[in-house]
Amino acid sequence: MGLRTEGTLIERMGIELEEVGAERVTARMPVAGNTQPAGLLHGGASVVLAETLGSIAAQLHGGPGRAAVGIEVNATHHRGVRDGWVHGEAVAVHRGRTTASYEIVVSDDAGRRVCTARLTCMILATG
């Protein structure tokens, strides 16, 4: 998958992809620049990280000539983070013919769970 990140939200949020595959995608994102006014990591930033990782994995699962589009995302925020990086890991829960679902765990530098999210994507034919 030729993933273009220049000029996208991935670039703007500072997300750095690490492992990329249909079964599992990992990345990290800086807390700095992604905070709310009180100085904590913005909950929406955690959701952006989660949806990014799950969407990339679903697109890889779909393969050439197909597109993955998010149809549902939910997230539970467990703790605040003020500095460092957060690390995301998307793991496949279901990889079917027309849908793919991923659980995404976002953790801080100490490995503590910050957010748990789930993303479901519909797999569509593009041609």
Side-chain angles (χ1 to χ4, degrees):
M1 172 180 178
L3 184 64
R4 182 186 66 79
T5 61
E6 299 79 26
T8 69
L9 190 56
I10 295 170
E11 180 182 58
R12 179 163 295 174
M13 302 290 288
I15 296 170
E16 298 178 0
L17 296 169
E18 298 167 333
E19 181 180 329
V20 178
E23 185 66 32
R24 181 174 180 263
V25 174
T26 63
R28 68 183 195 154
M29 179 180 72
V31 173
N34 293 315
T35 60
Q36 37 101 316
L40 293 170
L41 177 68
H42 196 290
S46 293
V47 175
V48 167
L49 177 60
E51 187 157 359
T52 297
L53 301 184
S55 293
I56 290 169
Q59 182 63 51
L60 289 169
H61 166 65
R66 302 180 81 198
V69 295
I71 58 173
E72 191 270 341
V73 63
N74 67 57
T76 301
H77 304 289
H78 306 293
R79 71 179 335 108
V81 182
R82 292 190 177 277
D83 54 29
W85 293 79
V86 288
H87 308 268
E89 177 185 38
V91 175
V93 174
H94 168 77
R95 293 193 304 145
R97 186 177 53 80
T98 59
T99 63
S101 296
Y102 291 83
E103 178 183 65
I104 303 96
V105 174
V106 178
S107 57
D108 65 13
D109 283 327
R112 297 173 296 198
R113 190 176 291 230
V114 172
C115 175
T116 304
R118 191 192 69 213
L119 174 71
T120 300
C121 291
M122 185 176 294
I123 310 296
L124 303 171
T126 58

